[in-house]
Amino acid sequence: SAVISQKPSRDICQRGTSLTIQCQVDSQVTMMFWYRQQPGQSLTLIATANQGSEATYESGFVIDKFPISRPNLTFSTLTVSNMSPEDSSIYLCSTPELGHGYTFGSGTRLTVV
Amino acid sequence: AQSVTQPDIHITVSEGASLELRCNYSYGATPYLFWYVQSPGQGLQLLLKYFSGDTLVQGIKGFEAEFKRSQSSFNLRKPSVHWSDAAEYFCAVGATDKLIFGTGTRLQVFP
């Protein structure tokens, strides 16, 4: 199955700044998903990123706050913009694999101070 | 709308005891169902999945789950829990390519 390298693994950021999270897949994949896991909570889908098209955002998430890039079939980035302490979460990328389910990156633990 | 319910927020068992974690889903078509485990500070690990066929599926670490369409359930079981099983467990349903997660069950294991 595919392997996803996600970085950074963790970061502490000042409020008002932005952080870009990267996910690199070792094979070409059509779809990539970005999730947020707030402290003590489950995973919530932020958006779906397809190569060559605009990302599709779930209710409650907007492009200005979470811009996503998908320049090719092996790479995607999620930016958390103008951060506030409420953005402190684990962010994960994922891709579906036919017959295998979903593979996840190791996550980015973000703390906003 | 698709949804996943894990009724038990927190379960505590003794090491060696049996375990069952409950999961109910709401989905209009035949679902793809998954159980993931997340240890403290770690990423998500797939325990097992159900796509079709035999409704009793075996996973890693001695876990199994049974798909019951009539009850819209996909409960996770293990006959004898080990201390290392202490973690957060998430049930999820694959819905039109998206993966929708339940709220999770935190498992605590006492020696």
Side-chain angles (χ1 to χ4, degrees), chain B residues 32-50:
Chain B
Y32 295 163
L33 294 162
F34 306 85
W35 274 99
Y36 286 87
V37 61
Q38 186 179 40
S39 298
Q42 302 297 312
L44 286 170
Q45 183 179 24
L46 178 66
L47 285 176
L48 47 77
K49 59 184 180 289
Y50 172 78

Side-chain angles (χ1 to χ4, degrees), chain B residues 42-97:
Chain B
Q42 302 297 312
L44 286 170
Q45 183 179 24
L46 178 66
L47 285 176
L48 47 77
K49 59 184 180 289
Y50 172 78
F51 288 169
S52 64
D54 192 347
T55 56
L56 184 63
V57 295
Q58 302 296 320
I60 62 172
K61 303 184 178 185
F63 285 93
E64 66 177 26
E66 186 171 13
F67 169 57
K68 293 185 177 179
R69 184 187 300 277
S70 61
Q71 299 178 18
S72 297
S73 70
F74 189 56
N75 294 349
L76 182 71
R77 302 193 293 250
K78 186 170 185 178
S80 178
V81 171
H82 188 264
W83 64 266
S84 61
D85 293 325
E88 188 87 19
Y89 291 81
F90 294 98
C91 181
V93 60
T96 58
D97 292 327

